[in-house]
Amino acid sequence: MEEKIAVLVDSGSDLPEALKEEYHITTMELRVIYGNEIYRDGIDITPQTVYSRFPKEIPTTSAPNLQEAKDTLKALQEKGYQKVIAVCISSGLSSTYHTIHTAAKEYPELETFVFDSKNISIGAGLYALWAAKAVKDGMSFQQITAALQRKQRDSKIYFYMDSLDYLRAGGRIGQITGLIGKVLNIRPIISCNTEGTYYTVSMVRGKKGGARRLLDTVGKCASKAKTWLALMNGGAAEQAHALKTELMSFFPKGQLMVESQITASMAVHTGPGLVGICVFQAD
C-alpha cells in the first residue's frame, strides 16, 4: 500500500513558494510583530515592508503556537495523510521544533517525524526539499527519516550582513560583538554550529571584503559530488547575484536550487544588506 506522506516546514525555511507548490510542501507561518500588529510571514507582510520600517521600528518574531501546530496536523490528517515529516529551523534559534513535537502527541494515529535541522533559513529548507523529492521518487517514510538523521550535518549555510544591529536587537549576538562591528566596520561571516546556534566563522572589514571572504569560505567546501546550492539575499539581490559564477565554479556537479530574497521573519533579525550561501550534500 502506498504511503501518503506530508512534508511540513515553517516559513523560516525560506523555500520559495513555487518549489513548495511543486513538491506539495505545507508551511506553518512564523509571525512578525510590531506592538499590537501581528502579521503572518509571507502572507500579510513582505521583507520589503520590514526594511521600509527600519531603523525606526524593529519588530519581533514568534514561532507558530501550539494550537496552530495542532490545527495544521489535523488539516493534514483530514486530507488523508498518514505520515508527516516536519523539518524545522534550529531548535537553538526557534521554538517551532518543540511546538510541533508537542502537537504531534495529540495525533498518535498520524506518524510524525520532527527533524531539528540545527540550521536556519534555506539551510533548513533544502532538507525539506530533499525529503519532498524523496517522497515524490517513492522512498518510504522510514527510508527518508533515517536518511535525514544521517544527513544531519550535510547542510551548511554562511552569510554576512551590512549591520549587526538587528541580530543584536533580537538577542542573537552579544552586545559587545555588535558594538565592535559597528565601531570598526567589521563584519563577521556567520554560520550555525552543531548545536544549531550562530557562531562566527571569521571576521572581515568592509562590504567588498565580506563578499570575498564569503566565497573563500564556501570554496573550502568545494566538492565534485552532487551538491545543491542556494544563493540568498536580504535586500541585496545584485550583490548576491554577482557571486553566482564563481560560486558555481567550485561545484562541477552543483545545482543552484534556490536564488531568492529571504522572508520577512528572517529579514527582521538580519536587516538589509545580507548575502548568504548554502551548500547541501544531496547524495
Side-chain angles (χ1 to χ4, degrees):
M1 182 178 176
E2 184 179 346
E3 297 177 298
K4 191 168 183 185
I5 307 168
V7 176
L8 174 65
V9 296
D10 54 69
S11 59
S13 66
D14 269 329
L15 276 175
E17 289 302 317
L19 282 175
K20 288 190 284 188
E21 289 178 12
E22 181 180 356
Y23 291 98
H24 308 291
I25 298 171
T26 301
T27 307
M28 291 179 58
E29 289 81 21
L30 278 70
R31 299 296 191 265
V32 177
I33 305 166
Y34 289 91
N36 293 325
E37 304 171 45
I38 302 176
Y39 301 97
R40 292 171 297 172
D41 190 21
I43 295 178
D44 305 320
I45 191 167
T46 67
Q48 288 72 27
T49 300
V50 173
Y51 295 142
S52 71
R53 296 176 72 164
F54 283 153
K56 186 177 179 181
E57 297 177 282
I58 300 178
T60 58
T61 59
S62 71
N65 61 40
L66 181 58
Q67 188 58 55
E68 290 166 343
K70 288 161 71 171
D71 289 346
T72 300
L73 292 176
K74 181 180 179 181
L76 290 172
Q77 187 178 49
E78 289 174 347
K79 289 179 180 178
Y81 287 103
Q82 303 148 332
K83 303 174 189 292
V84 177
I85 297 171
V87 177
C88 305
I89 57 175
S90 176
S91 63
L93 299 169
S94 169
S95 62
T96 306
Y97 169 80
H98 296 293
T99 300
I100 297 178
H101 201 277
T102 300
K105 294 176 183 178
E106 300 284 327
Y107 298 91
E109 66 280 10
L110 191 64
E111 190 173 359
T112 303
F113 173 76
V114 190
F115 180 66
D116 184 353
S117 69
K118 303 289 187 183
N119 227 309
I120 195 69
S121 180
I122 200 66
L126 289 185
Y127 278 116
L129 182 60
W130 183 90
K133 285 174 72 70
V135 170
K136 192 172 183 179
D137 291 342
M139 283 180 66
S140 71
F141 180 81
Q142 293 298 332
Q143 287 173 325
I144 297 169
T145 56
L148 282 173
Q149 292 178 84
R150 289 195 303 270
K151 294 176 70 62
Q152 180 75 66
R153 300 179 69 176
D154 282 0
S155 181
K156 199 70 176 173
I157 192 165
Y158 302 96
F159 59 94
Y160 79 93
M161 63 207 72
D162 281 350
S163 172
L164 296 176
D165 290 350
Y166 303 99
L167 274 181
R168 188 177 70 242
R172 264 59 178 186
I173 59 170
Q175 296 289 326
I176 293 175
T177 302
L179 181 62
I180 290 172
K182 193 168 187 176
V183 172
L184 301 179
N185 192 29
I186 289 174
R187 294 168 174 80
I189 304 297
I190 296 172
S191 186
C192 289
N193 60 23
T194 55
E195 299 302 312
T197 57
Y198 292 138
Y199 80 102
T200 300
V201 178
S202 61
M203 303 288 283
V204 64
R205 192 184 297 273
K207 279 188 184 182
K208 291 183 179 179
R212 182 66 260 163
R213 184 67 61 83
L214 181 63
L215 280 171
D216 289 344
T217 301
V218 173
K220 294 175 183 177
C221 302
S223 172
K224 294 181 180 179
K226 182 181 177 183
T227 307
W228 288 357
L229 302 163
L231 185 54
M232 309 300 291
N233 80 89
E238 289 185 11
Q239 295 96 307
H241 187 73
L243 309 183
K244 184 174 178 178
T245 299
E246 188 167 354
L247 169 64
M248 299 307 297
S249 72
F250 295 136
F251 302 91
K253 294 185 180 179
Q255 185 176 1
L256 187 63
M257 304 299 289
V258 179
E259 185 175 4
S260 181
Q261 158 74 42
I262 59 174
T263 63
S265 62
M266 296 293 100
V268 166
H269 299 296
T270 56
L274 172 138
V275 176
I277 295 173
C278 181
V279 179
F280 181 87
Q281 301 307 317
D283 287 335

